[in-house]
Amino acid sequence: MANHLKLFTPGPGDVDEDVLASLASPVIRHYGPEWMEIYNDVQGMLKQVFKTKDEIYFVPGPASALMDMAIGSLLATGEKIIVGVNGFFGERLAHIANRYGLETILLKAAYGKALDPQALEILLKQHADAKVVALVHHETGTTVLNPLQELARVANQAGRIVVVDAVSSLGGTDVRMDEWGIDVCVTTPNKCLEAVPGIGFISVSPRTWQLVDSHPQANHGWYLDLKTWRQYVTEWASWHPTPVTLPTNVILATRTSLKKIIAMGLEAHFDKYRRASQAVRTGLHALGFEMFVENAFASPVVTGVCRRPEFELTDMSRWLVEQRGIAIGSGLGELSGQMFRVGHLAKAATREYLVDFLFAMEEFLRYTGIQIQPGAGLVGL
Ligand SMILES: *Cc1c(COP(=O)(O)O)cnc(C)c1O
């Protein structure tokens, strides 16, 4: 642990010690009465965070597997899907759709800009046969928070199914699955739920099942077929609600974290992220940085910051790691070298971490010869 870096990455984050301690619990069976109590407890808390009445399926794997599952289970090869693309993770959804041989219609926005509900409305009219709209809520690649509620409303009004990657938003900012008309919603514990990687959660609305059941030909294997997971929740509900062995300790750690989030209150948890992002935006602006995303669409979970001409971002990142033990996120794909990303997940939203990060940024600027008054970066705290 001596060399542990403080994580300001866009996920995973530095989680609390009691969450880590849960990982060291004795290994238990992923079935039977003892397990069902834990499973139902986590299921109930997740429903509160997803703001849904629908079942949440626990699928071991990374979030991308569950997005793959969602898109693959809903449509058959040759059918049409509309995919929102304004960053790295939107591109990934388009790749998934293409690999399934779907006719993929892109709702595009420039990197750093938000997806536009009016543009979606036009696409929906042009492609009345596209039954599904898939998009990312918080595009972690650019740090844009897409206007999910409006986008979902437009898609719902046109009678389409809305599939959402809420991996880096759920738990960190408001997501109302039922009220906003989100049909499929995916997340993982290792972002805003402040636990560790190893499992994904996916919730599915009743009208999505109608689509799935009307598509027996949308047959994409066994593990990543939503129907497999429904079958076990239905037929083995009382003692073994999943088709495979679960990473039980990961779920125990998730439970520990969820309990604290629920006890704190979701709104207070969102507020913690909001205040951290404000402190970072205000502080870095005072140090002469420009933000990558305008305030209206800026994410409270991760802040994107533009490069500046005085130094290379790779040199800055290396200095932060080597001199201050701080890890930040770099620009992904075409944004590499153009911007950096600062996560506000988990401990990165604490005052202790924020002071450490913002002061280290000042120190780096002074090291490169830029005149900065000591404490100038702390104005937003
Ligand atoms: C982190 C992230 C993912 C990828 O999650 P994996 O678990 O690595 O597959 C997908 N989408 C978004 C928006 C993310 O932030």
Side-chain angles (χ1 to χ4, degrees):
M1 291 297 280
N3 292 325
H4 179 71
L5 297 174
K6 284 192 167 139
L7 297 182
F8 292 86
T9 36
D14 270 339
V15 304
D16 288 340
E17 282 64 22
D18 53 352
V19 175
L20 294 177
S22 301
L23 291 170
S25 308
V27 177
I28 55 175
R29 289 167 294 173
H30 60 282
Y31 52 84
E34 187 193 9
W35 177 249
M36 286 311 297
E37 200 180 310
I38 295 163
Y39 176 87
N40 288 329
D41 188 25
V42 175
Q43 173 78 228
M45 289 191 286
L46 284 172
K47 282 182 178 168
Q48 290 180 55
V49 183
F50 277 70
K51 300 190 176 169
T52 187
K53 291 192 287 295
D54 301 327
E55 186 75 24
I56 290 155
Y57 300 88
F58 295 22
V59 183
S64 303
L66 280 78
M67 292 309 298
D68 199 313
M69 174 186 208
I71 292 171
S73 299
L74 264 53
L75 294 170
T77 300
E79 289 189 304
K80 248 188 209 178
I81 185 170
I82 295 175
V83 178
V85 175
N86 59 338
F88 183 85
F89 291 103
E91 298 276 5
R92 179 168 293 180
L93 298 187
H95 288 313
I96 293 171
N98 285 328
R99 291 293 179 92
Y100 279 125
L102 302 179
E103 190 181 333
T104 309
I105 310 299
L106 301 181
L107 168 66
K108 280 194 163 206
Y111 279 27
K113 301 288 180 213
L115 297 175
D116 176 5
Q118 280 180 327
L120 176 59
E121 207 167 356
I122 294 167
L123 274 189
L124 289 165
K125 286 206 181 91
Q126 288 169 351
H127 302 280
D129 51 345
K131 297 191 184 86
V132 174
V133 176
L135 50 91
V136 179
H137 183 199
H138 170 215
E139 175 46 83
T140 323
T142 62
T143 73
V144 164
L145 190 68
N146 283 311
L148 177 58
Q149 187 179 4
E150 290 74 21
L151 291 160
R153 184 189 301 129
V154 167
N156 282 172
Q157 276 166 359
R160 315 304 164 86
I161 295 285
V162 181
V163 174
V164 176
D165 169 344
V167 177
S168 63
S169 60
L170 202 115
T173 190
D174 207 12
V175 178
R176 303 178 183 218
M177 187 170 163
D178 292 356
E179 190 185 321
W180 292 357
I182 298 163
D183 293 290
V184 180
C185 189
V186 169
T187 201
T188 50
N190 55 291
K191 300 261 168 102
C192 307
L193 300 182
E194 305 191 355
V196 299
I199 192 142
F201 302 115
I202 181 167
S203 188
V204 180
S205 74
R207 53 189 208 121
T208 307
W209 286 118
Q210 286 174 15
L211 178 66
V212 169
D213 290 331
S214 71
H215 271 81
Q217 76 277 30
N219 179 9
H220 297 290
W222 179 82
Y223 188 71
L224 292 184
D225 185 349
L226 274 172
K227 293 193 286 294
T228 304
W229 298 76
R230 177 179 60 179
Q231 185 191 341
Y232 280 79
V233 160
T234 315
E235 295 173 13
W236 293 23
S238 63
W239 71 288
H240 192 314
T242 48
V244 298
T245 310
L246 296 178
T248 45
N249 289 50
V250 168
I251 295 170
L252 287 173
T254 306
R255 179 167 76 152
T256 302
S257 185
L258 277 170
K259 273 188 177 161
K260 292 199 292 185
I261 292 171
I262 302 275
M264 177 183 200
L266 269 182
E267 274 306 323
H269 198 243
F270 300 158
D271 202 46
K272 181 178 98 173
Y273 283 42
R274 211 178 290 127
R275 275 179 298 151
S277 67
Q278 281 310 319
V280 167
R281 291 175 80 81
T282 310
L284 292 185
H285 192 255
L287 298 181
F289 286 95
E290 294 297 329
M291 301 304 116
F292 189 69
V293 178
E294 62 183 292
N295 282 327
F297 296 107
S299 150
V301 178
V302 183
T303 295
V305 188
C306 301
R307 78 179 293 273
R308 47 196 279 187
E310 300 97 324
F311 49 84
E312 293 297 328
L313 291 182
T314 46
D315 293 334
M316 184 186 86
S317 296
R318 192 179 318 118
W319 190 91
L320 288 170
V321 167
E322 288 174 359
Q323 303 301 319
R324 295 295 177 267
I326 283 174
I328 57 170
S330 54
L332 284 178
E334 66 185 61
L335 296 178
S336 172
Q338 300 306 306
M339 53 94 86
F340 61 97
R341 296 173 301 149
V342 184
H344 314 304
L345 316 161
K347 285 190 182 173
T350 61
R351 189 174 171 83
E352 179 205 331
Y353 268 54
L354 287 166
V355 170
D356 214 19
F357 168 71
L358 289 167
F359 199 72
M361 291 295 286
E362 281 185 22
E363 290 181 300
F364 172 73
L365 294 179
R366 280 192 286 274
Y367 161 79
T368 63
I370 298 169
Q371 300 296 315
I372 296 285
Q373 282 296 319
L378 306 180
V379 289
L381 277 164

